[in-house]
């Protein structure tokens, strides 16, 4: 903690924020990854109006309707995106291209997508592949959650908005407020939000354990100390309580996260330096989970108190080089996790014997572990000709990790080998965009992404953190995963119609997975199957391939038809079976109506059955389903917007392939999605 505080203080001292300048100068904080239409990465955007239309519980839910994505769901809150076959730390998810938050819960009740609310986002930017080196070590893709940049006005002004709504299925209530006073040199944004949802009912009328409560606030300050400088300081906290995770053995009692984010830009520092960017951040997550609402609580009272801290910084220079820009710099990231589970045994679950006094045990979860990564990168973007653009970059990383308090059995297993350094790792890529005509373009990208094993894969010690019933044991000697990926796409745009098709192939060396180890007996509840634990290992070869297709056709000035389809095929070549948790083939088709005051769409979603599943992880096949949703937005006045949506119109009973089935509940079931639901809301600008 001390080193992060010292880092932040040093950054503040270096900013020279006391300088004064009389002229007003508009400077945009360079927080975006997808910068313009000539970007060469395989990128896409989810814009603010789409997020508002969905009105998601958390950011993870947004990705359910995005081509190439699926969503892992363990409850009605804290959902996680899966891009093709990549998930968890295989995706580089950041706030404003900077801040990172790491989960404290080993079962990921608190993934990165829950610590910022959807209401405050301007857009979500996505790069599908390891095709940029500027934003930290990237393996399978980048997701950038972008807030609005500070706005400055000639005179003192006050703006803001208020939003509130209600969802019938689950009696969901939500509200948010945003206030934005601004002047020539100062812009302040203060926001707060609140949500409360009860259990919803599935299409068959069954009540699904799914309730949650969340609240949070954000303070963002923008300063212009000089005409070509911009400083942004942001602090946010999010409070989550009483989350029922039916797909996990415990529920989340409390989750408190804090994020401090600082960004400083200095444009035109010298004739040969277009921009200097300095960013620093620190995030902290305190998480409490228990089984107090589960049937086994009468025999074993279990509670876990865990924490996660992440800090980092980046210094980047933008230089004019050879008909383009060269971005070069250094970055740093440190992650530390700790915490333990306490178990009070009232009745021995294996023998049925009740001791005279309850027996207390303490199980180390993270074993006071940490990981540190240093990076050096350079990336050039520019023109190769009048119709050809390119981006090319290289990155060097050094990584090391350690457990400061290993459990006795873990220490004995690895004979004090839990400190591990990977040495220097090389990653990078090149992408090309060529305009075939004024209506069509062809893009090609080739890249290598690298990912070091996370702290769970290295140091978890006999906890059931996977999709199956096995206990998992970490391996501090895991090699980094290496993803060699290629994407090819073709896009055509005409006056009324447009379509794009993208084909990809990814070959992974040293893929990290888990396998049953007969030398590791089950540690907890040894009377129950399975008898052995799984250990994380590297396998030599795995691959994925597939395609994504999008199209739209404008019937008239008011009517548009849009559609997309995506498919991924992923295989573990060493075990000759599919990789686990792969989204099934899915398509979307919508008819949209757009006038000045009214926007409406009728959306049809078709998801195929997923029959390619992993036997090693006891993964279940899933059934096909079709959904029909309706959304409408009406703006009676410029300052007022009203929303109405009806989801799952035909009240179908269905579940998503990536949703986890019930665990440690009174009955066994798949995790069924909500039946028909009506969502109404208002948005007031002032």
């Amino acid at each position: 903690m001390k080193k992060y505080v010292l880092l932040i203080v040093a950054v503040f001292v270096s900013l020279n924020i006391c300088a004064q300048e009389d002229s007003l100068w508009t400077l945009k904080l360079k927080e975006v990854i997808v910068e313009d239409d000539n970007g060469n990465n395989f990128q896409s955007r989810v814009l603010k109006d789409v997020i508002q239309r969905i009105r998601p519980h958390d950011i993870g839910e947004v990705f359910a309707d995005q081509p190439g994505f699926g969503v892992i769901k363990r409850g009605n809150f804290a959902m996680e995106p899966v891009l093709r076959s990549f998930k968890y730390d295989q995706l580089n998810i950041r706030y404003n291209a900077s801040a990172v938050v790491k989960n404290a819960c080993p079962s990921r009740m608190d993934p990165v997508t829950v610590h910022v609310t959807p209401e405050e986002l301007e857009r979500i930017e996505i790069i599908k592949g390891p095709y940029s080196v500027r934003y930290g070590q990237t393996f399978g893709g980048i997701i950038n959650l972008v807030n609005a940049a500070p706005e400055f006005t000639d005179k003192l002004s006050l703006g803001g908005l208020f939003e509130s709504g209600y969802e019938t299925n689950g009696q969901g209530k939500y509200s948010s407020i945003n206030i934005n006073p601004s002047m020539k040199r100062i812009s302040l944004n203060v926001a707060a939000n609140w949500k409360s949802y009860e259990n919803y009912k599935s299409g068959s009328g069954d009540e699904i354990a799914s309730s949650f409560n969340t609240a949070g606030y954000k303070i963002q300050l923008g300063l212009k100390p000089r005409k070509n400088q911009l400083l942004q300081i942001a602090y946010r906290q999010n409070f989550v309580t009483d989350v029922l995770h039916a797909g996990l053995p415990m529920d989340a009692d409390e989750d408190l996260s804090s994020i401090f984010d600082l960004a400083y830009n200095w444009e035109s520092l010298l004739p040969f330096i277009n921009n200097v960017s300095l960013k620093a951040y620190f995030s902290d997550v305190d998480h409490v989970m228990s089984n107090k609402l589960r049937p086994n609580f009468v025999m074993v009272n279990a509670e876990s108190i865990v924490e996660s801290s992440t800090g980092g910084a980046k210094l980047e220079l933008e230089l004019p080089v050879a008909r383009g820009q060269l971005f070069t710099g250094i970055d740093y990231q440190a992650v530390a996790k700790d915490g333990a589970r306490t178990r009070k045994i009232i009745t021995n679950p294996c023998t049925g014997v009740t001791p005279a006094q309850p027996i207390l045990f303490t199980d180390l979860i993270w074993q006071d572990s940490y990981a540190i990564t240093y990076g050096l990168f350079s990336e050039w973007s520019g023109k190769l000709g009048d119709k050809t653009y390119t981006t090319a970059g290289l990155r060097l990383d050094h990584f090391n990790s350690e457990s400061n308090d290993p459990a006795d059995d873990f220490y004995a297993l690895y004979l004090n080998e839990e400190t591990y350094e990977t040495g220097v790792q090389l990653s990078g890529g090149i992408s090309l965009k060529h305009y075939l005509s004024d209506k069509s373009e062809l893009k090609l990208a080739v890249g290598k992404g690298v990912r070091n094993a996370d702290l769970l894969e290295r140091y978890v010690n006999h906890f059931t953190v996977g999709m199956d019933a096995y206990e998992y044991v970490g391996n501090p000697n895991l090699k980094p995963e290496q993803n060699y990926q290629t994407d090819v796409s073709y896009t055509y745009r005409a006056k009324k119609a447009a379509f794009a098709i993208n084909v990809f192939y990814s070959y992974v060396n040293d893929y990290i997975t888990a396998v049953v180890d007969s030398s590791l007996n089950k540690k907890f509840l040894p009377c129950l199957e399975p008898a052995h634990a799984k250990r994380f290992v590297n396998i030599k070869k795995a691959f994925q391939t597939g395609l994504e297709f999008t199209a739209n056709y404008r019937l008239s000035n008011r009517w548009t038809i849009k559609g997309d389809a995506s498919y991924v095929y992923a295989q573990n070549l060493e075990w000759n079976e599919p990789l686990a948790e792969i989204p099934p083939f899915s398509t979307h088709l919508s008819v949209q109506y757009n006038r000045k005051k009214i926007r409406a769409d009728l959306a049809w979603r078709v998801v195929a059955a997923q029959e390619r599943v992993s036997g090693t992880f006891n993964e279940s096949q899933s059934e096909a389903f079709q959904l029909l949703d309706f959304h409408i937005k009406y703006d009676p006045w410029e300052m007022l917007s009203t929303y109405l949506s009806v989801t799952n119109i035909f009240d179908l009973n269905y579940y998503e392939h990536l949703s986890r089935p019930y665990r440690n509940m009174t009955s066994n079931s798949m995790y069924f999605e909500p039946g028909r639901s009506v969502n109404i809301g208002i948005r007031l600008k002032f």
Side-chain angles (χ1 to χ4, degrees):
M1 175 69 75
K2 290 182 180 179
K3 59 186 175 183
Y4 299 139
V5 174
L6 291 174
L7 172 64
I8 293 169
V9 170
V11 171
F12 266 102
V13 172
S14 68
L15 292 178
N16 188 24
I17 62 174
C18 296
Q20 297 295 322
E21 192 74 35
D22 292 333
S23 62
L24 179 64
W25 194 77
T26 302
L27 178 70
K28 292 185 178 180
L29 182 65
K30 294 197 173 182
E31 60 191 7
V32 298
I33 291 176
V34 183
E35 294 186 355
D36 56 46
D37 292 337
N38 287 325
N40 307 299
N41 298 311
F42 282 73
Q43 75 270 337
S44 59
R45 287 187 177 106
V46 183
L47 300 178
K48 187 173 185 176
D49 61 339
V50 175
I51 299 173
Q52 291 175 353
R53 178 183 69 87
I54 299 172
R55 314 189 76 74
H57 299 162
D58 61 54
I59 293 171
E61 189 178 3
V62 174
F63 294 92
D65 291 328
Q66 300 306 309
F69 279 91
V71 174
I72 293 179
K73 185 174 181 179
R74 309 169 185 90
N76 201 28
F77 186 72
M79 305 170 213
E80 285 197 271
V82 176
L83 172 58
R84 298 165 178 171
S85 72
F86 299 131
K87 54 185 177 291
Y88 308 149
D89 279 11
Q90 292 177 328
L91 296 177
N92 182 3
I93 303 179
R94 293 178 176 262
Y95 301 136
N96 296 327
S98 175
V100 175
V101 185
K102 295 294 186 179
N103 60 293
C105 171
S107 296
R108 306 184 70 88
M109 294 179 182
D110 55 342
V112 60
T113 48
V114 307
H115 303 297
V116 170
T117 60
E119 290 78 13
E120 67 180 86
L121 295 185
E122 279 294 307
R123 63 190 177 276
I124 300 173
E125 300 174 338
I126 302 161
I127 295 179
K128 297 179 177 180
Y131 303 134
S132 182
V133 299
R134 296 172 54 199
Y135 307 99
Q137 198 171 59
T138 298
F139 179 75
I142 300 173
I143 297 175
N144 184 30
L145 310 173
V146 184
N147 293 333
E151 295 182 0
F152 299 91
T153 54
D154 290 319
K155 298 180 180 180
L156 176 64
S157 66
L158 178 65
L161 61 89
F162 171 77
E163 185 175 7
S164 187
Y166 177 77
E167 186 173 353
T168 58
N169 194 349
Q171 301 184 49
K173 298 171 283 292
Y174 55 90
S175 296
S176 65
I177 188 169
N178 190 310
I179 300 174
N180 180 210
S182 62
M183 301 172 61
K184 277 189 176 183
R185 300 191 172 280
I186 301 176
S187 175
L188 180 65
N189 182 268
V190 180
N193 64 87
W194 166 80
K195 294 178 184 177
S196 179
Y197 281 73
E198 299 179 11
N199 293 341
Y200 65 71
K201 290 186 178 181
S202 66
S204 63
D206 295 326
E207 183 174 315
I208 306 298
S210 55
S211 62
F212 68 89
N213 296 287
T214 179
Y217 69 90
K218 177 192 72 172
I219 302 173
Q220 177 178 293
L221 177 65
L223 299 173
K224 292 200 303 183
R226 293 183 177 180
K227 66 177 183 179
N228 59 342
Q229 298 177 33
L230 177 62
L231 168 67
Q232 180 175 277
I233 305 169
Y235 182 75
R236 57 173 59 80
Q237 284 192 309
N238 203 43
F239 307 88
V240 179
T241 59
D242 303 322
V243 184
L244 299 186
H245 290 282
L248 296 174
M250 283 184 166
D251 298 308
D253 298 336
E254 299 176 12
D255 187 271
L256 167 62
S257 65
S258 305
I259 306 172
F260 173 83
D261 189 10
L262 180 148
Y264 177 67
N265 274 72
W266 190 341
E267 288 200 343
S268 304
L269 176 62
L270 294 170
F272 56 89
I273 300 179
N274 288 345
N275 185 72
V276 176
S277 172
L278 178 62
K279 296 185 178 184
Y281 65 89
F282 178 78
S283 64
D284 184 78
V285 180
D286 295 309
H287 184 84
V288 180
M289 52 188 166
S290 75
N291 70 332
K292 65 183 180 181
L293 299 179
R294 301 304 180 98
N296 67 336
F297 185 73
V298 297
M299 293 187 292
V300 180
N301 298 172
E303 182 182 62
S304 298
I305 302 177
V306 287
E307 63 178 341
S308 169
S309 298
T310 307
K314 181 175 80 168
L315 174 64
E316 181 183 73
L317 303 179
E318 180 186 341
L319 312 174
V321 176
R323 300 182 70 187
Q325 296 81 38
L326 177 68
F327 300 90
T328 186
I330 57 175
D331 55 32
Y332 164 86
Q333 179 176 290
V335 182
K337 298 186 182 184
D338 201 8
R341 178 181 67 186
T342 58
R343 291 178 294 128
K344 185 166 69 173
I345 308 298
I346 300 171
T347 300
N348 189 312
C350 287
T351 65
V353 174
T354 301
Q357 295 293 332
I359 304 174
L360 189 65
F361 293 93
T362 299
D363 311 313
L364 300 180
I365 295 178
W366 294 111
Q367 305 185 82
D368 191 13
S369 56
Y370 71 87
I372 297 176
T373 306
Y374 302 89
L376 174 67
F377 63 89
S378 289
E379 182 173 290
W380 179 80
S381 293
K383 287 185 176 182
L384 293 182
D386 292 338
K387 296 183 177 182
T388 305
Y389 297 79
T390 187
T391 296
L394 286 175
R395 181 178 179 88
L396 295 174
D397 286 286
H398 183 272
F399 172 90
N400 70 282
S401 68
E402 186 175 5
S403 165
N404 292 319
D405 184 24
D408 292 340
D409 58 339
F410 195 87
Y411 182 90
L413 181 63
Y414 291 104
L415 299 176
N416 197 27
E417 294 180 0
E418 63 271 11
T419 299
Y420 184 70
E421 295 190 15
T422 63
V424 177
Q425 302 146 8
L426 176 66
S427 58
I430 183 169
S431 57
L432 297 168
K433 172 189 275 188
H434 180 70
Y435 288 95
L436 300 172
S437 68
D438 59 349
K439 295 182 180 180
S440 64
E441 63 189 49
L442 182 67
K443 293 195 293 184
L444 168 68
V446 179
K448 175 190 176 184
V450 178
R451 182 186 78 92
N452 291 288
D454 63 26
L455 292 180
L456 183 137
E457 293 162 332
R458 292 183 182 278
Y459 300 114
V460 67
N461 191 28
H462 287 275
F463 284 89
T464 53
V465 295
M467 60 184 297
D468 51 29
Y470 284 91
E471 294 177 353
Y472 283 68
V473 177
N475 181 354
N477 298 314
L478 290 169
K479 299 177 183 178
E481 293 181 318
Q482 301 176 69
N483 173 33
Y484 299 89
Q485 185 168 327
T486 300
D487 279 73
V488 180
S489 77
Y490 174 78
T491 302
Y492 177 84
R493 299 184 185 93
K495 186 175 181 180
K496 290 188 174 183
F499 73 88
I501 184 168
N502 183 83
V503 180
F504 61 89
Y505 179 84
S506 169
Y507 183 87
V508 181
N509 283 340
D510 295 319
Y511 184 83
I512 297 174
T513 185
V515 65
V516 176
D517 189 334
S518 59
S519 69
L520 296 175
N521 292 326
K522 192 174 185 180
K523 185 175 181 179
F524 306 112
L525 295 178
C527 57
L528 301 179
E529 292 290 336
H532 302 291
K534 282 186 172 182
R535 191 200 300 243
F536 283 102
V537 297
N538 292 105
I539 63 170
K540 293 182 180 179
K541 297 179 291 185
F543 82 93
Q544 65 166 346
T545 187
L547 59 86
E548 289 135 18
F549 175 80
T550 60
N552 65 76
Y553 182 76
R554 186 160 55 86
L555 298 170
S556 67
N557 291 334
R558 297 179 179 179
W559 292 94
T560 303
I561 298 177
K562 292 186 176 182
D564 65 70
S566 57
Y567 174 73
V568 59
Y569 179 99
Q571 185 79 358
N572 181 331
L573 294 174
E574 189 164 327
W575 299 348
N576 193 28
E577 69 170 23
L579 293 178
E581 296 184 297
I582 303 303
F585 173 78
S586 64
T587 64
H588 301 84
L589 181 66
S590 66
V591 179
Q592 301 180 355
Y593 177 78
N594 190 0
R595 292 187 63 183
K596 184 177 181 180
K597 293 186 176 183
I598 298 177
R599 295 188 64 182
D601 70 88
L602 185 66
W604 181 38
R605 180 181 175 218
V606 180
V607 178
Q610 180 57 286
E611 298 177 350
R612 300 194 74 254
V613 295
S614 170
T616 302
F617 289 88
N618 297 323
E619 187 179 13
S620 300
Q621 296 183 353
S622 59
E623 300 176 354
F625 63 86
Q626 301 183 36
L627 291 178
L628 194 65
D629 299 334
F630 174 73
H631 306 270
I632 186 170
K633 175 189 175 186
Y634 174 56
D635 303 327
W637 305 289
E638 184 177 353
M639 62 182 299
L640 178 65
S641 297
T642 61
Y643 300 86
L644 171 68
S645 65
V646 183
T647 55
N648 193 358
I649 292 174
F650 294 114
D651 204 21
L652 299 177
N653 195 43
Y654 74 102
Y655 62 90
E656 303 275 2
H657 176 71
L658 298 180
S659 293
R660 298 288 175 85
Y662 277 10
R663 296 180 65 177
N664 193 17
M665 303 290 284
T666 54
S667 61
N668 295 324
S669 173
M670 301 304 294
Y671 197 99
F672 286 93
E673 295 293 314
R676 184 187 302 113
S677 187
V678 178
N679 193 318
I680 56 175
I682 61 168
R683 185 180 181 92
L684 178 65
K685 297 180 181 179
F686 56 89

